[in-house]
Amino acid sequence: MASGKPKLLLVGSIAPVIYKNQHRFERKYKVQYFDFGCTPPAYECIEECNKTVFNYLDSKYGGKWRREVRPNVMFLEEEK
C-alpha cells in the first residue's frame, strides 16, 4: 500500500466506473477503491485482500460502512 490506506479491490472493464459518492466513503473510512480493470490478479488474491479489509472496517467502524460501500466490491456478499 503505497498510500498507507487499505484498498478495496474491484474488477471492472476497459472503462472504469466511478460512483457519485465513492470519494466521500474513501475519506470517511480511510480506505481506497482500486480497480484492476480487465486485467486482475487471481481471484483468490482479491478475495483474501478484500476480506482482510472487511475485517478491518468491521472492527473499526462496526457494520455501518457496509450500507455505504460500492455494491461491486468483490466478495462482500459472502461476508454478510
Side-chain angles (χ1 to χ4, degrees):
M1 283 183 269
S3 69
K5 292 182 181 180
K7 291 182 177 30
L8 288 170
L9 306 179
L10 309 166
V11 177
S13 61
I14 294 172
V17 175
I18 297 176
Y19 283 70
K20 182 179 177 182
N21 294 322
Q22 80 177 40
H23 299 295
R24 225 181 290 169
F25 178 88
E26 290 174 316
R27 281 191 304 271
K28 182 176 181 179
Y29 295 108
K30 299 174 180 60
V31 298
Q32 292 179 328
Y33 292 110
F34 183 84
D35 191 339
F36 284 102
C38 57
T39 56
Y43 281 106
E44 293 83 12
C45 295
I46 294 172
E47 180 178 19
E48 186 175 329
C49 181
N50 277 357
K51 287 184 176 184
T52 300
V53 177
F54 301 158
N55 289 333
Y56 161 77
L57 290 169
D58 283 338
S59 68
K60 187 158 178 132
Y61 301 104
K64 67 181 181 177
W65 66 272
R66 290 174 179 264
R67 293 184 297 274
E68 301 172 44
V69 71
R70 284 177 57 159
N72 64 335
V73 172
M74 297 192 68
F75 303 103
L76 183 61
E77 286 297 317
E78 297 172 10
E79 290 290 307
K80 290 185 178 180

